[in-house]
Amino acid sequence: MASARYGGGVVACVPQHDSLPLEGGCGKHAELLPARTKMSSFGDDEELAEELPPNRTLQRFQEDAKSILKEYFVSLALDDTVVSVQELLASCPSEADELGVVAMKIAVDREKDTSRAVVTLFDALSRSNVLDRSALIRSFEKIFCTLEDLKIDCPHAEKGVLEIIQGCMEAGCVETKLLTKLPETLLRAGVQDQGAQDDFHAMLSKTISELKTFK
Protein backbone atom coordinates (compact mmCIF):
# COMPACT_ATOMS: atom_id res chain seq x y z
CA MET A 1 0.00 0.00 0.00
CA ALA A 2 1.32 3.51 -0.78
CA SER A 3 0.41 6.35 1.54
CA ALA A 4 1.21 10.07 1.78
CA ARG A 5 1.83 11.45 5.24
CA TYR A 6 -0.11 14.57 6.05
CA GLY A 7 0.27 16.33 9.39
CA GLY A 8 0.79 13.04 11.20
CA GLY A 9 -2.19 11.37 9.49
CA VAL A 10 -2.69 9.54 6.21
CA VAL A 11 -3.84 11.31 3.06
CA ALA A 12 -4.39 8.36 0.76
CA CYS A 13 -3.85 4.64 0.64
CA VAL A 14 -3.80 3.00 -2.77
CA PRO A 15 -2.68 -0.49 -3.81
CA GLN A 16 0.41 -0.13 -5.97
CA HIS A 17 0.24 -3.31 -8.04
CA ASP A 18 -3.43 -3.83 -8.87
CA SER A 19 -4.24 -3.96 -12.58
CA LEU A 20 -7.42 -3.51 -14.54
CA PRO A 21 -8.35 -5.28 -17.80
CA LEU A 22 -8.25 -3.06 -20.87
CA GLU A 23 -11.50 -4.47 -22.23
CA GLY A 24 -14.38 -6.51 -20.90
CA GLY A 25 -13.77 -10.04 -19.72
CA CYS A 26 -11.47 -11.60 -17.20
CA GLY A 27 -9.72 -14.12 -19.41
CA LYS A 28 -6.10 -14.82 -18.75
CA HIS A 29 -5.19 -13.36 -22.14
CA ALA A 30 -6.83 -9.97 -21.41
CA GLU A 31 -4.39 -7.09 -21.79
CA LEU A 32 -3.78 -5.39 -18.47
CA LEU A 33 -3.14 -1.76 -17.66
CA PRO A 34 -1.99 -0.30 -14.33
CA ALA A 35 -4.89 0.76 -12.10
CA ARG A 36 -3.18 4.15 -11.73
CA THR A 37 0.02 5.84 -12.80
CA LYS A 38 3.00 5.99 -10.49
CA MET A 39 2.64 9.73 -10.08
CA SER A 40 0.29 11.56 -7.74
CA SER A 41 -0.02 15.17 -6.62
CA PHE A 42 1.88 14.21 -3.48
CA GLY A 43 4.84 12.64 -5.32
CA ASP A 44 5.83 9.46 -7.10
CA ASP A 45 5.74 5.99 -5.61
CA GLU A 46 9.44 5.96 -4.85
CA GLU A 47 9.14 9.15 -2.78
CA LEU A 48 5.98 8.02 -1.01
CA ALA A 49 7.55 4.69 -0.11
CA GLU A 50 10.35 6.35 1.82
CA GLU A 51 9.91 6.32 5.57
CA LEU A 52 11.42 8.37 8.34
CA PRO A 53 14.53 6.83 9.91
CA PRO A 54 13.83 4.63 12.98
CA ASN A 55 15.10 7.32 15.35
CA ARG A 56 12.88 9.99 13.80
CA THR A 57 9.21 10.89 14.10
CA LEU A 58 7.23 13.46 12.13
CA GLN A 59 6.84 15.52 15.31
CA ARG A 60 10.57 15.56 15.91
CA PHE A 61 11.23 16.53 12.29
CA GLN A 62 8.75 19.40 12.60
CA GLU A 63 10.40 20.58 15.82
CA ASP A 64 13.86 20.51 14.21
CA ALA A 65 12.53 22.36 11.17
CA LYS A 66 10.85 25.00 13.34
CA SER A 67 14.08 25.58 15.23
CA ILE A 68 16.04 26.15 12.01
CA LEU A 69 13.37 28.32 10.42
CA LYS A 70 12.65 30.50 13.45
CA GLU A 71 16.37 31.24 13.68
CA TYR A 72 16.37 32.14 10.00
CA PHE A 73 13.49 34.59 10.33
CA VAL A 74 15.39 36.36 13.11
CA SER A 75 18.92 36.32 11.65
CA LEU A 76 18.12 36.07 7.90
CA ALA A 77 21.38 34.11 7.59
CA LEU A 78 20.46 32.54 4.26
CA ASP A 79 23.57 30.48 3.51
CA ASP A 80 23.72 28.98 7.01
CA THR A 81 20.04 28.10 6.84
CA VAL A 82 20.41 26.37 3.47
CA VAL A 83 23.18 24.21 4.94
CA SER A 84 21.10 23.39 8.03
CA VAL A 85 18.07 22.47 5.94
CA GLN A 86 20.21 20.35 3.63
CA GLU A 87 21.58 18.43 6.62
CA LEU A 88 18.09 17.94 8.05
CA LEU A 89 16.66 16.66 4.77
CA ALA A 90 19.65 14.39 4.22
CA SER A 91 18.32 12.24 7.08
CA CYS A 92 14.64 12.74 6.18
CA PRO A 93 14.41 13.23 2.39
CA SER A 94 10.74 12.22 2.27
CA GLU A 95 9.78 15.21 4.44
CA ALA A 96 10.91 17.98 2.05
CA ASP A 97 7.32 19.06 1.48
CA GLU A 98 6.67 19.16 5.25
CA LEU A 99 9.58 21.59 5.64
CA GLY A 100 7.86 23.91 3.18
CA VAL A 101 4.63 23.67 5.15
CA VAL A 102 6.37 24.51 8.44
CA ALA A 103 8.12 27.48 6.82
CA MET A 104 4.88 28.94 5.46
CA LYS A 105 2.99 28.43 8.72
CA ILE A 106 5.68 30.30 10.65
CA ALA A 107 5.75 33.03 8.01
CA VAL A 108 2.01 33.75 8.04
CA ASP A 109 1.98 33.63 11.84
CA ARG A 110 4.79 36.17 12.18
CA GLU A 111 3.22 38.37 9.46
CA LYS A 112 5.77 41.22 9.33
CA ASP A 113 8.10 41.00 6.29
CA THR A 114 8.27 37.22 6.47
CA SER A 115 6.61 36.48 3.12
CA ARG A 116 9.58 37.94 1.28
CA ALA A 117 12.00 36.11 3.58
CA VAL A 118 10.38 32.72 3.01
CA VAL A 119 10.35 33.27 -0.77
CA THR A 120 14.06 34.12 -0.63
CA LEU A 121 14.67 30.91 1.31
CA PHE A 122 12.60 28.77 -1.07
CA ASP A 123 14.46 30.28 -4.02
CA ALA A 124 17.85 29.54 -2.43
CA LEU A 125 16.82 25.98 -1.53
CA SER A 126 15.56 25.45 -5.07
CA ARG A 127 18.73 26.78 -6.68
CA SER A 128 20.79 24.57 -4.38
CA ASN A 129 18.68 21.51 -5.32
CA VAL A 130 17.75 21.05 -1.67
CA LEU A 131 14.01 21.60 -2.26
CA ASP A 132 12.74 20.65 -5.71
CA ARG A 133 9.69 22.08 -7.42
CA SER A 134 7.50 19.00 -6.92
CA ALA A 135 8.12 19.07 -3.15
CA LEU A 136 7.31 22.78 -3.01
CA ILE A 137 4.08 22.25 -4.91
CA ARG A 138 3.10 19.54 -2.43
CA SER A 139 3.86 22.02 0.36
CA PHE A 140 1.39 24.48 -1.14
CA GLU A 141 -1.22 21.74 -1.61
CA LYS A 142 -0.97 20.86 2.07
CA ILE A 143 -1.27 24.52 3.04
CA PHE A 144 -4.39 24.87 0.88
CA CYS A 145 -5.94 21.89 2.70
CA THR A 146 -5.36 23.47 6.12
CA LEU A 147 -6.04 27.10 5.21
CA GLU A 148 -9.35 27.34 7.04
CA ASP A 149 -7.70 26.08 10.24
CA LEU A 150 -4.83 28.54 9.78
CA LYS A 151 -7.29 31.43 9.50
CA ILE A 152 -8.63 30.68 12.99
CA ASP A 153 -5.34 31.69 14.59
CA CYS A 154 -4.07 33.90 11.74
CA PRO A 155 -6.91 35.91 10.14
CA HIS A 156 -4.41 37.32 7.62
CA ALA A 157 -3.26 33.83 6.52
CA GLU A 158 -4.81 34.13 3.05
CA LYS A 159 -2.94 37.33 2.32
CA GLY A 160 0.33 35.82 3.55
CA VAL A 161 -0.06 32.65 1.47
CA LEU A 162 -0.92 34.67 -1.65
CA GLU A 163 2.15 36.87 -1.17
CA ILE A 164 4.32 33.74 -0.92
CA ILE A 165 2.75 32.27 -4.06
CA GLN A 166 3.28 35.49 -5.99
CA GLY A 167 6.89 35.74 -4.82
CA CYS A 168 7.62 32.11 -5.73
CA MET A 169 6.13 32.60 -9.18
CA GLU A 170 8.24 35.71 -9.76
CA ALA A 171 11.37 33.87 -8.56
CA GLY A 172 10.62 30.91 -10.82
CA CYS A 173 10.26 28.43 -7.95
CA VAL A 174 6.79 27.43 -9.20
CA GLU A 175 4.88 27.88 -12.44
CA THR A 176 1.72 29.93 -12.90
CA LYS A 177 -0.33 26.75 -13.30
CA LEU A 178 -0.12 26.44 -9.51
CA LEU A 179 -2.96 28.98 -9.47
CA THR A 180 -5.34 26.32 -10.81
CA LYS A 181 -4.81 24.37 -7.57
CA LEU A 182 -5.87 27.26 -5.32
CA PRO A 183 -9.18 26.93 -3.45
CA GLU A 184 -11.81 29.25 -4.89
CA THR A 185 -12.00 31.14 -1.59
CA LEU A 186 -8.28 31.92 -1.81
CA LEU A 187 -8.56 33.01 -5.44
CA ARG A 188 -11.40 35.37 -4.59
CA ALA A 189 -9.53 36.74 -1.57
CA GLY A 190 -6.65 37.62 -3.89
CA VAL A 191 -8.94 39.32 -6.40
CA GLN A 192 -10.54 41.38 -3.61
CA ASP A 193 -7.16 42.42 -2.17
CA GLN A 194 -6.70 46.04 -3.18
CA GLY A 195 -2.99 45.80 -2.40
CA ALA A 196 -2.32 43.01 -4.91
CA GLN A 197 -0.14 43.93 -7.89
CA ASP A 198 -2.04 44.43 -11.13
CA ASP A 199 -0.41 41.56 -13.03
CA PHE A 200 -0.96 39.07 -10.19
CA HIS A 201 -4.52 40.34 -9.73
CA ALA A 202 -5.12 39.78 -13.44
CA MET A 203 -3.77 36.21 -13.28
CA LEU A 204 -6.07 35.39 -10.36
CA SER A 205 -9.08 36.86 -12.18
CA LYS A 206 -8.21 34.91 -15.34
CA THR A 207 -7.91 31.68 -13.34
CA ILE A 208 -11.36 32.20 -11.80
CA SER A 209 -12.86 32.80 -15.26
CA GLU A 210 -11.20 29.68 -16.67
CA LEU A 211 -12.42 27.55 -13.78
CA LYS A 212 -15.97 28.85 -14.30
CA THR A 213 -15.76 27.91 -17.99
CA PHE A 214 -14.45 24.47 -17.11
CA LYS A 215 -17.33 23.88 -14.69
Side-chain angles (χ1 to χ4, degrees), residues 11 17-18 58 75 79 88 101 105 125 130 172 174 181 189 195:
V11 172
H17 305 294
D18 291 351
L58 178 60
S75 67
D79 292 342
L88 178 62
V101 171
K105 285 183 175 180
L125 293 172
V130 177
V174 296
K181 297 178 178 288

Side-chain angles (χ1 to χ4, degrees), residues 75-204:
S75 67
L76 297 180
L78 184 61
D79 292 342
D80 290 344
T81 304
V82 169
V83 171
S84 296
V85 169
Q86 187 173 28
E87 291 174 349
L88 178 62
L89 291 181
S91 61
C92 307
S94 63
E95 298 304 324
D97 53 351
E98 188 63 29
L99 181 125
V101 171
V102 173
M104 284 188 275
K105 285 183 175 180
I106 295 175
V108 299
D109 186 51
R110 294 175 68 93
E111 185 176 6
K112 185 178 180 181
D113 299 328
T114 50
S115 294
R116 183 178 301 177
V118 79
V119 169
T120 300
L121 177 60
F122 285 164
D123 184 38
L125 293 172
S126 176
R127 292 178 183 276
S128 302
N129 296 318
V130 177
L131 183 68
D132 63 30
R133 180 173 293 177
S134 62
L136 185 54
I137 290 174
R138 295 197 302 273
S139 298
F140 279 114
E141 290 175 333
K142 288 185 175 183
I143 284 291
F144 299 157
C145 289
T146 60
L147 191 57
E148 294 303 314
D149 291 334
L150 281 177
K151 286 164 60 178
I152 295 174
D153 296 321
C154 306
H156 54 270
E158 288 179 331
K159 180 178 177 63
V161 170
L162 286 167
E163 288 175 349
I164 295 171
I165 292 171
Q166 179 181 354
C168 285
M169 287 170 52
E170 292 174 349
C173 301
V174 296
E175 298 177 348
T176 56
K177 64 182 180 181
L178 174 64
L179 297 181
T180 62
K181 297 178 178 288
L182 270 63
E184 186 173 349
T185 53
L186 187 57
L187 284 168
R188 294 194 179 282
V191 169
Q192 295 169 4
D193 182 7
Q194 299 299 319
Q197 294 183 12
D198 291 342
D199 54 348
F200 187 60
H201 187 280
M203 284 190 285
L204 293 174

